[in-house]
Amino acid sequence: MATEEESVFASLTTVGKLNKADSEAYLERINLPASLLSEPPSLPLLRKLQYAHLTSVPFDSSRLHIPENEFETPEAVVELRRGAAYELGRAAFDRIVKQRRGGYCFVLNSTFAGLLRNWFLVGENAGKVYGAVRQDPAVAGWSWGPVSHEVLAVGWEGEPERYMVDVGFGDVLRRIALKDGATSDSTNPSDCYVLRHESLPLPPTASASLLHPDPAKYFIIYRWSTSLPLANPSDASSGFWTPLYAFQLQTVLAADFVVMNHYNSTHLSAAFTTLLVVSRLNEKDGSRTTLQYRVPGEKDEDGKTFAQLLTTGGKDAKQNEPQWIDMKTGPIKEVLVRDFGFKF
């Protein structure tokens, strides 16, 4: 239950929990009524909160690349890694709720956890992302990045199951029970997910056992990858299961997330320091609109660079023709406001 006390943001000795005023502001941000604060915890409520977040708050790496003051200079050329690191806690809340922008996993999931604790018991866990995104591990092999992702484990009194919840990955992961073999569908008719509890798959090399001399089981979320509408996931000829990420059910403290967040915001090997991406699920039809640019990107004959704006998926599994956005702050800002609801 939300209270009138001040919001608490995660620290060395506390977990984050939003007060009544901040919770009401968060619910307004994701287009839900404040009256939900008086509802008891339930699976339908959890589903409603997660879906509202996914359709309202974008996945967003723009802060890493565009200095805030350059948005006032429309002709400034956008170059990667010239922005600022993401901040957690109150700064993350303000970015999402007051500035109506987004972030990546540590920003989104940690702030969402502070809202969820009005109803639910929430654990914040860390995971490692599969290295060959959307590829078949039978072909691409098994490789894993460092521990650099946050995922939530959600439960409540009287509910025998706990659920994996993630609003900070990009795929439309609905809540999924934390047990081996649990499944989840998606807004895309060609997508579904399965959760496995197993040893971390490693490449079949002599050194694999040296990498993990003390093997432990992970929860690994797999996505069914196919270009066809989902008919029978057991039909291996129509697609393949590709892992998204692996995590262990072990609550991670705020100090550890600060370290992981610093890596994601600054390290040259981190995914988002070399990728400008802003992406949001569209409530109307379940499609996804994404603005993205990665070096070297698209260039015209004069050497000007362009970001891609594209809408894909949804109930009709559509893919529109991409729009090419000049990599200057003026055109990029226009897209951020028009398509993703940013406030400046």
Side-chain angles (χ1 to χ4, degrees), residues 33-288:
S35 59
L36 289 180
L37 289 170
S38 62
E39 289 196 9
S42 67
L43 189 56
L45 176 61
L46 180 59
R47 182 186 301 118
K48 180 182 293 186
L49 291 166
Q50 183 182 14
Y51 190 71
H53 192 288
L54 289 168
T55 55
S56 303
V57 182
F59 189 91
D60 165 27
S61 73
S62 64
R63 176 180 166 87
L64 303 180
H65 306 294
I66 309 175
E68 188 67 22
N69 64 320
E70 290 194 0
F71 281 114
E72 303 307 315
T73 309
E75 291 300 310
V77 175
V78 175
E79 300 178 83
L80 300 190
R81 301 188 67 245
R82 294 188 57 249
Y86 277 102
E87 298 177 277
L88 305 181
R90 168 59 75 175
F93 173 86
D94 288 346
R95 180 175 178 85
I96 292 170
V97 175
K98 296 182 179 180
Q99 297 178 330
R100 305 185 82 84
R101 305 184 190 184
Y104 52 43
C105 61
F106 297 123
V107 176
L108 300 178
N109 280 323
S110 64
T111 310
F112 191 51
L115 175 68
L116 290 181
R117 289 191 177 102
N118 285 294
W119 304 272
F120 305 101
L121 175 66
V122 183
E124 298 179 54
N125 306 275
K128 50 177 69 235
V129 177
Y130 177 57
V133 178
R134 294 184 178 271
Q135 297 184 48
D136 185 350
V139 177
W142 294 97
S143 62
W144 299 93
V147 178
S148 57
H149 182 60
E150 178 175 355
V151 59
L152 308 179
V154 180
W156 60 97
E157 187 175 352
E159 168 59 42
E161 301 283 6
R162 295 182 74 193
Y163 296 89
M164 188 197 92
V165 173
D166 192 346
V167 294
F169 191 74
D171 272 55
V172 188
L173 288 167
R174 301 186 195 273
R175 78 286 168 272
I176 183 170
L178 274 166
K179 60 183 180 181
D180 184 49
T183 60
S184 173
D185 63 354
S186 173
T187 56
N188 272 346
S190 59
D191 287 354
C192 72
Y193 302 89
V194 64
L195 189 65
R196 293 297 184 192
H197 194 220
E198 60 189 10
S199 297
L200 193 69
L202 296 170
T205 63
S207 62
S209 61
L210 300 178
L211 291 173
H212 286 267
D214 302 302
K217 285 193 172 184
Y218 286 74
F219 283 102
I220 305 177
I221 185 76
Y222 290 86
R223 173 183 177 272
W224 182 250
S225 185
T226 177
S227 59
L228 304 173
L230 187 65
N232 181 10
S234 64
D235 179 6
S237 65
S238 66
F240 54 86
W241 289 105
T242 182
L244 301 183
Y245 55 82
F247 66 97
Q248 292 180 302
L249 194 58
Q250 178 178 348
T251 297
V252 174
L253 300 179
D256 297 305
F257 281 127
V258 168
V259 175
M260 297 177 211
N261 178 62
H262 179 73
Y263 169 86
N264 269 12
S265 278
T266 63
H267 200 281
L268 286 173
S269 297
F272 305 115
T273 60
T274 58
L275 173 65
L276 168 64
V277 58
V278 185
S279 182
R280 186 173 66 180
L281 186 69
N282 298 309
E283 183 178 10
K284 183 178 179 180
D285 61 0
S287 63
R288 175 173 290 278

